[in-house]
Amino acid sequence: MIHYSLSCDNGHAFEGWFSGSDDFDRQVESGFLTCPVCNSAKITKGLMAPQVSTARSKDERKAALVDKAQREAVEKLRQAVAEIRASSEDVGERFPEEARKIHYGEAKERGIIGAAKPDEVRDLLEEGIEIMPLPVLPEDKN
């Protein structure tokens, strides 16, 4: 498709889309193309600045979309982490002990957050205790 800036003999400017240059010529010759303002059939193409899509501009647009998607994803994660923290008890270094108590029915079931060393995490997982680390998110730069 080709986009043309058009004008009639009365000076009215408008735009049109055509399948090609010959499509424009055919429509003008047949009288099918007329000015939407005054209905004049004397139509000419105006000067146009073609829009050239370069690899760089495509890459920049893609990067902008990726950046936006990443910012939105980080914001959703930030909200989820905030909700988890707000609805959980922070048991700190006692996390492995409290997680076991909850898993084995020795303590009331509840959401907990805290800290665990890598070997403690491995042991909890091997026991079938479901745990998940909270992500550390980048700070806002705004």
Side-chain angles (χ1 to χ4, degrees):
M1 296 294 286
I2 297 176
H3 174 240
Y4 285 128
S5 294
L6 306 172
S7 62
C8 72
D9 60 338
N10 293 316
H12 300 120
F14 57 102
E15 299 175 347
W17 288 90
F18 303 90
S19 61
S21 180
D22 54 338
D23 182 33
F24 168 79
D25 294 337
R26 256 192 323 275
Q27 289 189 37
V28 169
E29 289 171 13
S30 69
F32 182 74
L33 184 61
T34 60
C35 174
V37 178
C38 66
N39 210 30
S40 170
K42 294 181 182 177
I43 307 297
T44 57
K45 289 187 255 183
L47 294 176
M48 296 176 17
Q51 180 179 356
V52 178
S53 180
T54 64
R56 181 176 172 189
S57 65
K58 285 181 186 176
D59 290 344
E60 288 171 355
R61 285 193 305 271
K62 184 185 274 186
L65 289 174
V66 168
D67 287 348
K68 181 180 178 191
Q70 286 175 337
R71 283 192 308 274
E72 289 173 355
V74 168
E75 183 55 33
K76 286 181 182 179
L77 279 172
R78 187 173 280 115
Q79 290 172 359
V81 168
E83 288 177 26
I84 291 168
R85 289 187 182 282
S87 64
S88 300
E89 179 185 342
D90 189 347
V91 294
E93 299 293 324
R94 296 184 342 233
F95 181 82
E97 176 188 340
E98 289 297 316
R100 281 189 180 91
K101 286 181 182 178
I102 293 169
H103 180 75
Y104 294 112
E106 299 169 7
K108 179 181 86 170
E109 191 168 318
R110 65 199 190 279
I112 60 171
I113 58 173
K117 296 175 184 157
D119 60 325
E120 294 172 325
V121 169
R122 185 184 61 248
D123 291 345
L124 290 169
L125 292 171
E126 286 176 358
E127 289 179 50
I129 299 172
E130 295 181 5
I131 60 172
M132 182 181 77
L134 291 177
V136 176
L137 301 170
E139 296 295 320
D140 281 332
K141 294 179 184 175
N142 296 338

